[in-house]
Amino acid sequence: MNVWPYSVLRRSAASLAPAAVAIALLCAAGPAGATGDAARGQTLYKGCADCHSINENGVGPMHKGVVGRKAGSVPGYDYSPDLKNSGIVWTEENLDKWLTGPQAMVPETKMFFDVPDAQDRADIIAYLKEKAR
């Protein structure tokens, strides 16, 4: 039977501490580990403008107040029943998942557009957090 001396175990655990801190920081970084740039997000949001605006419903619901809002709750917009009843709250993490693939998150949703790039998603979310309050 192999028994490790206490001093070897203590040194091994201490050498893992920096790695544990790095992992914790990456996990706390937000959606997809990316930090968003709201100015770049504003430019990217122009691609969303075919269906959405900040202040008015259109093909899609308005985005005013989207961060922190319950999905399917904007008055005057006709949501799919599945999205309306999903219970989703638009946190940064949920917006990131949604933009990655809305049909994967809520299969019967009306939204079909996705944003495959993690940095693009982070930038759009940063813009919505800052400008769509």
Side-chain angles (χ1 to χ4, degrees):
M1 174 155 112
N2 243 346
V3 178
W4 288 73
Y6 174 73
S7 62
V8 171
L9 289 174
R10 190 176 64 212
R11 276 193 306 256
S12 296
S15 66
L16 293 176
V21 169
I23 290 168
L25 289 173
L26 285 173
C27 291
T35 300
D37 175 349
R40 184 170 179 273
Q42 183 172 11
T43 301
L44 293 169
Y45 187 80
K46 291 175 184 174
C48 307
D50 289 342
C51 298
H52 295 279
S53 82
I54 298 297
N55 295 308
E56 297 177 9
N57 292 332
V59 174
M62 69 173 171
H63 284 148
K64 183 87 171 165
V66 69
V67 179
R69 182 173 70 213
K70 184 179 177 194
S73 66
V74 171
Y77 184 77
D78 184 29
Y79 290 95
S80 68
D82 286 359
L83 184 60
K84 193 169 188 169
N85 297 317
S86 69
I88 294 169
V89 173
W90 294 125
T91 62
E92 290 178 61
E93 293 78 18
N94 280 337
L95 284 166
D96 184 61
K97 287 180 203 172
W98 179 257
L99 292 172
T100 299
Q103 299 285 325
M105 198 167 175
V106 179
E108 296 299 320
T109 186
K110 293 178 180 181
M111 183 156 155
F112 57 88
F113 186 78
D114 60 42
V115 181
D117 184 78
Q119 187 61 58
D120 289 351
R121 291 191 309 271
D123 293 345
I124 292 167
I125 293 165
Y127 169 70
L128 291 173
K129 279 180 59 182
E130 185 176 300
K131 301 295 183 183
R133 291 186 230 168

